[in-house]
């Protein structure tokens, strides 16, 4: 019997990596996607197959974290052994513009899903394992290094909502004996990272500058420090948490932090450019309250899960720059052939 997983947020960066990992382990994977006027399954397109074909193991369902009826229906349809709750309005800066929506999808959305899973377990007479995507942003202003015992001090509507989701998850574990793990993941990146997060924004700009498609890069706070790891390594940790005998909470991090300035040094340095010739600061990218320094201590995950990061900062940024150089080369070819190439507008956060 194949194991069945249900992933919310399957179209995001982590959803794409986790889906590949689980399909590789023989799982049947169900995912919830949002209806949009444009296609939003780009990160899954190379692994998605027509469900009419034989042996298909990836199924997508329309739904939204604001719609508990659909969450219940999809749970019944998928009949999962494991649920990975990755869906979120996940951008910290945007959460200041859309605080209510962020809290609705991140905090209440998690509660809706927990409640739906609780009911589904009773109906189906089976135990479902639940992964909750927590974030190092929950530590916010708590000084580094941060581990599972560090107090939360969230500094954005996104982070406050993730703290609420974390405690909903703990409460459901304690109140109903559910198998729920909170992963407290530090920033993790990849060539599939959304283009408005700082690493990808920088590596996309490097590619476009090299290919003559962009002249300037407008940025916010260059002094912030983050513990940046590779998304491919981090989804392994999610899966490992659900394979343990007992549910628990784990910090997942590399144990190394770098400033945004160092990120610029590595990314521009890789193509022999000095970022100071291209980068300008724009106040719109500052946050009303900033998180200055995140640096994780993942000792517990190493000891209990046997998990360790494989890809380090420099290698990660180089991988992303190489990917984005190729992407920009393709964009240039299209532009030379007379096609319109849409570059990220300055209106994006
Ligand atoms: P992401 O790329 O922004 O993906 C978010 C996913 O959630 C997308 O599939 C998105 O759908 C979906 N989503 C957004 N609002 C939704 C709603 N109302 N209903 C249903 N789905 C919705 O994020 P990620 O980097 O993969 O991160 C995965 C999870 O881990 C998130 O919960 C994030 O907050 C958390 N996290 C991420 C990091 C990190 O560094 N990446 C660190 C710690 C925690 P669309 O594709 O349609 O937008
Ligand atoms: P976060 O840690 O979840 O907020 O991930 P981000 O990648 O969005 O931001 C990481 C850090 O980079 C934060 O401290 C931001 O303030 C900083 N930063 C500086 N300039 C920018 C920018 O132009 N865009 C983004 N997204 N972040 C920036």
């Amino acid at each position: 019997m194949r194991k069945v997983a249900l992933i919310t947020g399957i179209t995001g960066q982590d959803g794409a990596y986790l889906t590949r990992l689980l399909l590789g382990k023989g799982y049947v994977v169900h995912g919830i996607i949002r209806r949009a006027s444009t296609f939003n399954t780009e990160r899954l397109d190379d692994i998605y197959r027509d469900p009419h074909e034989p042996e298909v193991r990836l199924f997508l369902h329309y739904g939204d974290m604001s719609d508990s009826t659909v969450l219940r229906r999809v749970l019944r349809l998928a009949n999962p052994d494991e649920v990975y709750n990755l869906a979120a309005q996940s951008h910290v800066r945007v959460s200041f513009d859309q605080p209510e929506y962020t809290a609705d999808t991140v905090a209440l959305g998690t509660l809706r899903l927990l409640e739906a899973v609780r009911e589904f377990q009773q109906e189906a007479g089976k135990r479902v394992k639940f992964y909750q995507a927590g974030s190092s942003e929950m530590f916010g202003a708590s000084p580094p290094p941060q581990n599972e015992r560090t107090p939360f001090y969230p500094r954005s509507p996104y982070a406050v909502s993730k703290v609420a989701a974390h405690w909903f998850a703990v409460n459901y574990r304690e109140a109903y004996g559910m198998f729920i793990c909170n992963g407290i993941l530090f920033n993790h990146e990849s060539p599939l990272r959304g283009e408005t997060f700082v690493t990808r924004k920088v590596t996309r700009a490097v590619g476009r500058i090299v290919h003559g498609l962009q002249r300037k890069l407008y940025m916010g706070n260059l002094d912030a420090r983050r513990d940046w790891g590779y998304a491919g390594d981090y989804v392994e940790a999610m899966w490992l948490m659900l394979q343990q005998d007992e549910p628990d909470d784990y910090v997942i991090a590399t144990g190394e932090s770098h400033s945004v300035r160092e990120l610029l040094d590595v990314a521009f340095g890789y193509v022999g450019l000095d970022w100071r010739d291209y980068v300008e600061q724009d106040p719109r990218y500052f946050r009303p309250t900033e998180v200055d320094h995140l640096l994780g201590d993942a000792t517990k995950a190493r000891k209990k899960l046997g998990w360790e990061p494989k890809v380090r900062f420099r290698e990660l940024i180089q991988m992303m720059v190489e990917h984005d150089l190729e992407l920009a080369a393709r964009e240039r070819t299209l532009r030379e052939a007379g096609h319109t190439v849409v570059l990220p507008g300055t209106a994006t956060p």
Side-chain angles (χ1 to χ4, degrees):
M1 284 289 279
R2 291 189 185 280
K3 275 197 190 172
V4 180
L6 172 63
I7 304 176
T8 71
I10 194 169
T11 55
Q13 169 190 254
D14 290 6
Y17 280 96
L18 182 63
T19 301
R20 282 166 179 77
L21 178 79
L22 296 179
L23 289 175
K25 290 185 184 295
Y27 279 60
V28 172
V29 177
H30 292 259
I32 293 181
I33 64 167
R34 299 196 288 176
R35 195 270 158 184
S37 68
T38 50
F39 289 117
N40 58 1
T41 52
E42 200 186 333
R43 293 185 178 103
L44 299 172
D45 284 347
D46 59 320
I47 50 170
Y48 186 75
R49 282 168 48 200
D50 188 323
H52 301 96
E53 286 180 29
E55 308 281 313
V56 169
R57 286 193 283 121
L58 172 59
F59 302 93
L60 301 178
H61 311 269
Y62 283 112
D64 197 289
M65 296 308 287
S66 61
D67 186 344
S68 42
T69 315
V70 176
L71 297 178
R72 288 194 168 80
R73 186 162 62 231
V74 174
L75 276 166
R76 275 189 226 113
L77 263 167
N79 191 15
D81 303 297
E82 296 172 8
V83 171
Y84 295 85
N85 183 31
L86 310 184
Q89 188 304 93
S90 68
H91 201 284
V92 171
R93 178 69 193 79
V94 174
S95 77
F96 288 99
D97 300 329
Q98 288 194 284
E100 188 181 330
Y101 175 74
T102 302
D104 190 33
T105 56
V106 175
L108 282 180
T110 301
L111 178 62
R112 290 183 189 105
L113 186 61
L114 285 166
E115 195 54 13
V117 169
R118 183 167 83 89
E119 277 179 25
F120 170 74
Q121 288 194 140
Q122 281 167 357
E123 265 173 43
K126 69 191 256 189
R127 198 173 195 212
V128 178
K129 293 185 169 184
F130 190 106
Y131 172 81
Q132 168 55 23
S135 164
S136 54
E137 287 291 323
M138 301 191 298
F139 295 126
S142 272
Q146 294 100 357
N147 65 20
E148 294 81 3
R149 291 178 304 283
T150 305
F152 295 142
Y153 187 163
R155 297 265 287 169
S156 63
Y158 166 78
V160 173
S161 306
K162 281 286 182 190
V163 171
H166 175 96
W167 285 113
F168 280 137
V170 171
N171 182 242
Y172 271 60
R173 184 168 68 208
E174 292 174 356
Y176 307 117
M178 289 169 68
F179 191 109
I180 301 171
C181 298
N182 288 292
I184 307 175
L185 272 52
F186 282 61
N187 297 49
H188 44 281
E189 321 292 315
S190 74
L192 297 184
R193 182 64 146 146
E195 295 191 16
T196 59
F197 293 92
V198 75
T199 53
R200 191 77 200 288
K201 180 169 167 177
V202 168
T203 61
R204 274 301 256 151
V206 167
R208 285 176 168 139
I209 287 167
V210 166
H211 285 281
L213 297 167
Q214 185 174 334
R215 273 196 297 273
K216 286 278 170 214
L217 172 61
Y218 295 96
M219 308 269 305
N221 174 18
L222 306 185
D223 297 320
R225 297 184 72 85
R226 289 290 181 276
D227 180 330
W228 280 295
Y230 172 52
D233 290 343
Y234 284 41
V235 298
E236 287 256 7
M238 296 177 188
W239 177 77
L240 279 170
M241 287 177 213
L242 296 199
Q243 309 318 306
Q244 306 308 303
D245 292 334
E246 294 301 327
D248 208 343
D249 304 332
Y250 297 91
V251 158
I252 300 297
T254 69
E256 222 183 278
S257 77
H258 299 271
S259 66
V260 175
R261 229 174 272 278
E262 287 169 58
L263 160 69
L264 287 165
D265 279 337
V266 173
F268 279 78
Y270 189 64
V271 294
L273 297 177
D274 184 342
W275 60 267
R276 289 165 197 84
D277 296 333
Y278 302 93
V279 172
E280 283 184 24
Q281 278 187 308
D282 182 337
R284 86 171 66 196
Y285 299 113
F286 287 92
R287 284 111 195 248
T289 37
E290 174 64 290
V291 170
D292 295 327
H293 193 175
L294 295 175
L295 168 64
D297 166 11
T299 307
K300 179 174 169 184
R302 180 162 46 77
K303 286 192 176 149
K304 289 200 161 179
L305 304 176
W307 179 87
E308 277 197 74
K310 296 186 191 84
V311 178
R312 293 285 168 182
F313 176 67
R314 188 167 282 274
E315 193 189 337
L316 169 68
I317 301 306
Q318 290 176 355
M319 173 207 302
M320 293 172 68
V321 170
E322 273 172 24
H323 175 275
D324 287 340
L325 280 168
E326 242 185 82
L327 202 53
R330 270 186 266 147
E331 281 174 346
R332 191 177 67 177
T333 309
L334 282 174
R335 182 176 274 198
E336 284 167 357
H339 294 279
T340 310
V341 174
V342 182
L343 300 180
T346 47
T348 52

